Amino acid sequence: MDNVALLSKHTIIIASKKLVLQCTLHETIRVKSGAWDDNGVFIYTTLNHIKYCLPNGDSGIIRTLDVPIYITKVSGNTIFCLDRDGKNRAITINATEYIFKLALLRKRYDHVMSMIKNSQLCGQAMIAYLQQKGFPEVALHFVEDERVRFNLALESGNISVAVASATEINEKEQWYRLGVEALRQGNAGIVEFAYQQTKNFERLSFLYLITGKLDKLSKLMKIAEVKNNVMGQFHNALYLGDVKERVKILENAGHLPLAYITASVHGLTDTAERLATELGDNVPSLPEGKTPSLLMPPSPVMCGGDWPLLRVMKGIFEGGLESAARGGAVDEDEEDAGGDWGEGLDMVDVDGMENRDIEAILAEAEGAEEDNDEEGGWGELEGLDLPPELDTPKASANARSSVFVTPTQGMPVSHIWSQKSSLAAEQAAAGSFDTAMRLLNRQLGIRNFAPLKSMFIDLFSGSHSYLRAFSSSPVVPLAIERGWSESNSPNVRGPPALVYDFSQQEEKLKSGYKATTSGKDEKLTEALRLFLSILHTIPLVVVESRSEVDEVKELVSIAKEYVLGLKMELKRRQKKDDPVRQQELAAYFTHCNLQLPHLRLALLNAMTVCYKAKNLATAYNFAKRLLETNPLESHARAARQIVQAAERNMTDTTELNYDFRNPFVICGSTYVPIYRGQKDVSCPYCTARFVPSQQGNICGVCDLAVIGAAASGLICSPSQVR
């Protein structure tokens, strides 16, 4: 047994024997009991049902119960159990449904084939399941309803079945959707037929233009003339490059100036002179000294047909099911001689579908109107010298035996990344921003994602590249993997490349230290920006080893102390009219966990501020602490002088909210001391401390997490989730 099931009141957790989570199943009714069957499917009971749970988390009902039972063993189609009276019972079940789904899950397609041939699996639930799991071609063989068959055929790319179903339904919407799918596959014949059925002449004109079928385009223009569709006639004349026809259309429509200009520009001198005579004094003038640009489409070198498709082998379901429908398997030697792959699809006869000339379809569709037309305009079609009707583009199954639809597109690499990773940075690189935000909220209590928006975009952009092919084709996206080498297997995807790493944060830390040492206002602002950037970037950094995880957490602590200290110092410099608050903030700054050179500067600053405010006792404390750090000689001399002055008069002129004898931490929002024994709350990410009234607010230090929120902790390495 490779798996274990953990049962609680309303939840079933399926895990491996190493307790690696595989799936979680939630029930609204209390779970009573459960056991594994011989195939590795977990069978369990609730108050009213016997149910199953597959290894991937799919579940369903096997049968209902009159009274609750408690399963002791499952063997084949028999469940051994105890009832509420404590008596042994054996219940026979129909396991066909979950055995079929299990065979699909494990890709045992020979078992699937056998069960399709021999079992009664038809039902809307089974069809929906097969469609959801990516097997529409299998679901196709269970369906009799033509609309459902049509939808499944389009989803699986089976044009032959889709044509047959569309013919049976014969509605405009189905023909339109068939045309879209056939155009995607490059089947120009089916596209043309679908456009004819819906009388979509604009699309049909453009199709004839791009496929080079100018003879059919000419017929379409004549039909537009018969129908008095001036715009359609003019468009077709433009597509054909027929200048005389355009001049004629403009003249008949009453646009003589435009007709004259068109004839003059294109060199139709006789026509231009005749039109000029009709216009008289209203002949429009042409600009002089300019070379006209003629609206002439390029002549097609070759007429386009159906796109070439890949020759691929039949899938197991198409081949096996179709041969089964014919009454037996076809021998491989016989397939080339005369085997028809599509005859087993039980399709309607499509021989009656004619891909006729357009005028024939129009004449038939508009036949009822001819009788009521006083002028008999539609009768003019009979006088057209048109070629005979074309053969129908039969979407026969023979086409599927030699050329097949393009293989189904595989799963994008970004989806693979998203499924395999539980790191927020890799989820953002895969484009799963919602998942990344949920992970950060659960791990670090982050709710303000505005500072991380640009980083999410950078991570996604940095893990993808784009290769330009032809100018008429879209760019090809490429996934950039971390640690890729030529020796890697092409079927194994590595994690995404990340634009942020730990070494960058160390460089920011050094730059922040240097800016802090300068002490100027603009430098302190720059240092604060760098330390905040470290706090914002670390949730999106990935490291490899456990020791590096410890270094990351230490860096968070360092950045937090400097952000808190620098914010207090910058605020102190703004409080020039409040000397008491200035002294308090300077004093609090000395209790941040700073590097020794910066601690000396903070102590020197606090000593100076308090001495100037005549708080000699407090200045004495800072001077003694400064002397203990082995400062520069000039700083040491000033500290000794303040000590001597304070010893003669150990008093403070103003009372401060500061007691250096009682250990305290500093609130990251209000900048007041929280002494030992007082209640406080903390940020789940940067661990900054706050007074209880700040709970529920965004952290004033990191500007990301919610103060007092529950969180599991920073996860920044694959080694933490193995």
Side-chain angles (χ1 to χ4, degrees), residues 11 17 21 93 99 128 168 171 177 187 241 261 303 306 433 449 523 555 715 718:
T11 305
K17 59 185 178 182
L21 177 65
I93 61 173
I99 293 298
E168 288 294 321
E171 291 182 3
R177 292 176 58 195
N187 195 326
I261 291 174
C303 291
D306 292 348
F433 290 175
F449 290 96
K523 289 295 184 179
L555 183 56
I715 303 294

Side-chain angles (χ1 to χ4, degrees), residues 65 88 95 107 208 211 232 281 314 445 514 536 556 658:
L65 293 172
N88 286 317
K107 299 182 179 180
Y208 289 154
T211 54
D281 297 334
K314 275 280 187 173
K514 185 175 180 181
H536 292 167
V556 171
Y658 172 67

Side-chain angles (χ1 to χ4, degrees), residues 499-640:
V499 297
Y500 300 114
D501 58 29
F502 186 62
S503 61
Q504 296 172 345
Q505 312 317 309
E506 291 180 323
E507 292 300 320
K508 288 182 186 177
L509 183 66
K510 294 176 182 177
S511 300
Y513 283 161
K514 185 175 180 181
T516 303
T517 304
S518 172
K520 297 179 180 178
D521 287 355
E522 61 274 10
K523 289 295 184 179
L524 289 185
T525 304
E526 173 66 14
L528 177 60
R529 186 191 64 80
L530 289 169
F531 287 118
L532 266 176
S533 175
I534 293 174
L535 287 178
H536 292 167
T537 308
I538 281 180
L540 301 176
V541 167
V542 173
V543 295
E544 298 301 328
S545 64
R546 289 277 185 170
S547 59
E548 289 178 311
V549 172
D550 295 336
E551 293 178 7
V552 169
K553 293 180 178 179
E554 182 182 359
L555 183 56
V556 171
S557 179
I558 293 172
K560 177 257 297 185
E561 294 290 337
Y562 273 86
V563 169
L564 177 60
L566 290 172
K567 282 190 172 184
M568 289 191 296
E569 176 60 19
L570 289 172
K571 187 171 183 179
R572 182 194 69 81
R573 298 188 180 190
Q574 298 171 359
K575 294 281 186 179
K576 296 181 179 180
D577 56 344
D578 190 351
V580 174
R581 187 58 174 161
Q582 273 195 328
Q583 295 175 73
E584 290 175 347
L585 292 172
Y588 302 153
F589 191 16
T590 66
H591 289 267
C592 293
N593 189 9
L594 308 175
Q595 296 293 309
L596 186 59
H598 302 140
L599 178 60
R600 290 184 188 131
L601 295 175
L603 288 169
L604 178 65
N605 182 57
M607 177 186 72
T608 304
V609 170
C610 292
Y611 182 76
K612 289 180 178 179
K614 307 301 182 183
N615 278 11
L616 299 182
T618 305
Y620 173 83
N621 171 60
F622 294 133
K624 295 290 287 184
R625 289 176 59 192
L626 178 60
L627 291 171
E628 293 172 358
T629 63
N630 192 21
L632 297 175
E633 179 57 33
S634 58
H635 297 166
R637 187 182 314 110
R640 286 193 291 268

